[in-house]
Amino acid sequence: MADDDHTAGPGRDDRPGPAGLLDRSALAVDVLPAARRLLGCVLEADTPDGTVAVRLVEVEAYRGRDDPASHCYRGRTPRNAVMFGPPGHLYVYFVYGMHFCANVSCLPDGEPGAVLLRAGELLTDPGVARERRPTARRDADLARGPARLAALLGLRREDDGTDVTDPGSRVRLRVGTPLGPDLVRSGPRVGVAAAAELPWRYWVDGSPAVSPYRAGTRRRRSA
């Protein structure tokens, strides 16, 4: 497997696209710099209750055929096709028969990989968010964990394949304030047993919305 390389490499473009959205080229890179680039970005979704937006504060990178914790480790299927590109699309899947989780595809078109969106800090009306997540004990818990984040934004199977770089999409990804290296931490991914030693989870230091670390006890592919 490749080293934990924090450089973006050729093709990265940090300039915002239309309507301040993240440019697709910023995600046409390896999963590790793509994951770091997503921290601080704003994910927003139009819901029946109004627009809900969060600042991404925790993500996990999943590469592809060289990452046994990845959904696309064994090749392309109808389920994981979005992970094979093009970059900048939502890969949404159902887990444990209860929850949806969302990823953003990255790497050049045809190369499998995605970044799991693990947690966000609410940026929009707390009243709307509370209507959508009434069981949350505090604001920091509204999108703390991938299932809660997806529930808050109303992400479901029909959102699989959504282009988050398109201003006409229901779900959009906006450029956020860049984070300095002193604010970004990395460590093992949550709940995976395969390739559990890889420090491919990234989070914003000090954010109360970051989910607690939990080691995997069995093989579980999360993205």
Side-chain angles (χ1 to χ4, degrees):
M1 295 193 181
D3 294 333
D4 188 3
D5 181 8
H6 294 171
T7 60
R12 173 169 173 169
D13 188 348
D14 284 336
R15 294 173 299 177
L21 300 184
L22 188 67
D23 192 87
R24 191 183 314 281
S25 63
L27 297 170
V29 296
D30 186 59
V31 294
L32 304 182
R36 289 174 59 89
R37 183 66 186 87
L38 285 170
L39 286 178
C41 287
V42 176
L43 186 69
E44 64 180 19
D46 298 329
T47 78
D49 304 304
T51 299
V52 179
V54 298
R55 171 180 177 252
L56 296 174
V57 296
E58 184 184 8
V59 296
E60 283 179 345
Y62 290 85
R63 184 175 284 130
R65 297 185 182 92
D66 67 343
D67 180 2
S70 172
H71 278 178
C72 54
Y73 179 58
R74 290 183 173 84
R76 185 169 183 155
T77 67
R79 178 196 184 198
N80 66 22
V82 175
M83 293 185 73
F84 287 77
H89 291 251
L90 284 181
Y91 167 49
V92 182
Y93 66 94
F94 201 48
V95 63
Y96 296 141
M98 296 184 294
H99 308 296
F100 289 97
C101 296
N103 307 252
V104 174
S105 62
C106 52
L107 284 162
D109 194 8
E111 297 183 34
V115 177
L116 175 66
L117 308 179
R118 284 203 56 86
E121 294 175 346
L122 182 68
L123 297 176
T124 46
D125 185 357
V128 171
R130 288 284 180 177
E131 287 290 327
R132 299 193 58 76
R133 289 267 298 113
T135 59
R137 295 182 178 179
R138 55 189 184 129
D139 287 352
D141 294 331
L142 287 166
R144 187 174 185 239
R148 293 174 179 175
L149 186 153
L152 179 65
L153 298 177
L155 303 181
R156 301 182 64 81
R157 196 180 309 279
E158 52 265 35
D159 296 302
D160 188 53
T162 296
D163 184 354
V164 294
T165 70
D166 181 351
S169 292
R170 185 186 79 82
V171 187
R172 302 167 296 276
L173 186 62
R174 298 194 181 279
V175 174
T177 302
L179 297 172
D182 57 317
L183 293 178
V184 177
R185 299 290 180 267
S186 65
R189 294 175 290 191
V190 175
V192 299
E197 75 285 355
L198 295 178
W200 287 6
R201 178 171 65 105
Y202 299 92
W203 66 90
V204 178
D205 190 35
S207 171
V210 173
S211 55
Y213 174 71
R214 176 175 53 79
T217 56
R218 60 185 176 86
R219 184 180 180 85
R220 172 185 158 202
R221 293 181 287 158
S222 297

